[in-house]
Amino acid sequence: AQSVTQPDIHITVSEGASLELRCNYSYGATPYLFWYVQSPGQGLQLLLKYFSGDTLVQGIKGFEAEFKRSQSSFNLRKPSVHWSDAAEYFCAVVHGSSNTGKLIFGQGTTLQVKP
Amino acid sequence: DTGVSQDPRHKITKRGQNVTFRCDPISEHNRLYWYRQTLGQGPEFLTYFQNEAQLEKSRLLSDRFSAERPKGSFSTLEIQRTEQGDSAMYLCASSGGVYNEQFFGPGTRLTVL
């Protein structure tokens, strides 16, 4: 079955430090991949998406992600974290066997930023 | 365009009661999704509408759950005879195409006592 794994449940980084959040997917064909961010009590906001083409994609708020087919990964990165980046981050893939576009999410990574 | 809205934002109910949530998608979006998110987990797909037609339902959606999207505009999600296990955040999302970005509403947090 198709799945998304985010190995790190909780990550703490210092403000100004670099960040990498890991995401691995299980899917045979070329996946459609997304990263969403959720602040406490809020809905999900799209950070970036990968459909095809350049494997390094740029998103909002200074985030980027790299699609690596050989590793089945789509890791999210940011060179310098700001305190406002503290939130929960979800990696997701469009379910490939239906044409509904429904998303399969990972369990999320909670990011804490130390001053 | 005011985004996806959901009402109410919070609902506390007693076990056995019925509850109904409303979602207003972005007006030009023909696709609407409901997801459920429990604490510490990612959202899980519940059901999908294309215009007014409900085209897919998850096995998570027991017969106590029903969803509608009359006239292809707003949608409602009803839970009958609520159970404590129904406590969760219910998220609605809409999009303009199968691989288009899904825009999420703020969610309705349900607490069943």
Side-chain angles (χ1 to χ4, degrees), chain A residues 7-110:
Chain A
D8 305 304
I9 295 174
H10 192 107
I11 283 184
T12 301
V13 300
S14 298
E15 190 168 15
S18 63
L19 171 70
E20 183 170 30
L21 303 182
R22 296 183 291 164
C23 172
N24 294 97
Y25 64 89
S26 168
Y27 182 53
T30 299
Y32 294 81
L33 294 157
F34 303 82
W35 274 99
Y36 282 87
V37 61
Q38 186 178 36
S39 298
Q42 302 298 312
L44 283 79
Q45 181 184 21
L46 182 72
L47 288 175
L48 46 79
K49 60 187 177 186
Y50 172 78
F51 286 175
S52 64
D54 192 347
T55 57
L56 184 64
V57 293
Q58 302 296 321
I60 62 171
K61 304 185 180 186
F63 285 93
E64 66 178 26
E66 186 171 12
F67 170 64
K68 292 185 177 180
R69 184 188 300 278
S70 62
Q71 298 178 18
S72 297
S73 70
F74 188 56
N75 294 349
L76 181 71
R77 301 194 294 246
K78 187 170 185 178
S80 177
V81 170
H82 188 263
W83 65 267
S84 61
D85 293 324
E88 192 155 20
Y89 291 79
F90 294 96
C91 182
V93 62
V94 170
H95 193 282
S97 64
S98 77
N99 62 356
T100 65
K102 67 183 180 184
L103 294 171
I104 307 297
F105 286 87
Q107 71 177 90
T109 298
T110 300

Side-chain angles (χ1 to χ4, degrees), chain B residues 23-50:
Chain B
C23 170
D24 286 273
I26 293 172
S27 58
E28 63 267 29
H29 286 177
N30 62 343
R31 295 169 179 263
L32 186 145
Y33 305 81
W34 284 97
Y35 294 86
R36 180 170 66 188
Q37 184 179 23
T38 53
L39 203 60
Q41 299 297 318
E44 294 176 295
F45 170 79
L46 290 180
T47 191
Y48 161 71
F49 289 86
Q50 185 165 335

